[in-house]
Amino acid sequence: TLNARDKEQKKHYDEVMARAEAAEEELVASRMVAKDCKRNNEMLENKLTTLKDRIKMAESLHEKNEKELREEILTAKQENEKLSTLITSLKEVSEKTIKEYASNKRNMQSTLEKELKEAGLECQALRASKANQQRKLHEIQDMMEKQKSIDEELIHQMKI
């Protein structure tokens, strides 16, 4: 019976060790997921910064173009009243440019808002995933602590 008891304890010990190894593997996997989430967050933040910079550059360029067109119209009026046909044409171009600018700006703002919303949703999902992974990690750590306690008790009993 002592030999059977030893075998039973050995079997139980092997099962405990297998579960501990599985828990360790899950812990490593959850850490990898957390690292991936962090890397994805950084990538999204970089994309967002790039988009904001592009919008600022485009707005600056549009403002510069609009200002230059208005100055051309004013200069044309001052130079010669006979060029009213040309001035009218330039006004039409200017208004068209302003409308296109406004349209482009609205489109860019709409696109940015959509991308910001998507990035926000993705960030929320990543935060939720991170929280879930942290919860799982704590559960695994708790299980490992319990298992360690059981193992120590078994080892103590085996010594007795």
Side-chain angles (χ1 to χ4, degrees):
T1 60
L2 185 58
N3 194 16
R5 184 175 181 203
D6 286 346
K7 287 181 182 179
E8 182 64 31
Q9 285 180 347
K10 171 76 171 121
K11 179 181 175 185
H12 182 67
Y13 177 77
D14 289 343
E15 290 173 356
V16 166
M17 290 306 293
R19 288 194 311 226
E21 286 176 20
E24 184 68 28
E25 288 173 6
E26 274 190 67
L27 178 61
V28 169
S30 70
R31 286 181 180 156
M32 294 296 287
V33 168
K35 285 180 183 179
D36 287 344
C37 289
K38 182 179 178 183
R39 187 173 52 250
N40 286 339
N41 277 345
E42 290 172 357
M43 184 177 65
L44 288 172
E45 288 173 0
N46 288 339
K47 283 183 179 179
L48 181 60
T49 300
T50 300
L51 286 173
K52 286 180 180 178
D53 290 344
R54 285 182 184 172
I55 287 173
K56 285 180 184 177
M57 287 176 19
E59 286 177 346
S60 175
L61 180 62
H62 284 298
E63 288 174 6
K64 180 181 173 189
N65 288 343
E66 181 180 344
K67 183 179 177 183
E68 289 173 0
L69 288 172
R70 289 187 185 275
E71 288 173 359
E72 286 178 16
I73 291 170
L74 181 60
T75 301
K77 281 183 178 180
Q78 291 171 352
E79 286 178 2
N80 194 339
E81 283 295 316
K82 294 178 184 177
L83 299 174
S84 63
T85 304
L86 177 60
I87 292 171
T88 302
S89 175
L90 288 173
K91 283 183 179 180
E92 290 172 3
V93 170
S94 176
E95 290 172 3
K96 182 179 178 183
T97 301
I98 291 169
K99 286 179 184 177
E100 286 177 0
Y101 165 76
S103 176
N104 288 342
K105 184 177 178 181
R106 283 191 304 273
N107 290 341
M108 288 171 52
Q109 285 177 335
S110 175
T111 300
L112 176 62
E113 288 171 3
K114 181 181 176 185
E115 289 178 1
L116 286 173
K117 184 177 180 181
E118 290 172 2
L121 292 174
E122 209 169 303
C123 285
Q124 285 177 343
L126 290 171
R127 284 187 194 111
S129 176
K130 179 181 176 184
N132 188 33
Q133 292 300 323
Q134 287 176 341
R135 182 185 50 78
K136 286 181 181 180
L137 175 63
H138 290 300
E139 291 174 2
I140 290 169
Q141 288 172 338
D142 289 345
M143 286 174 45
M144 288 178 68
E145 286 296 320
K146 288 178 185 176
Q147 191 61 47
K148 181 180 176 184
S149 175
I150 291 170
D151 290 347
E152 289 173 354
E153 181 64 30
L154 284 173
I155 290 170
H156 178 71
Q157 287 179 2
M158 288 173 66
K159 287 182 180 178
I160 294 177

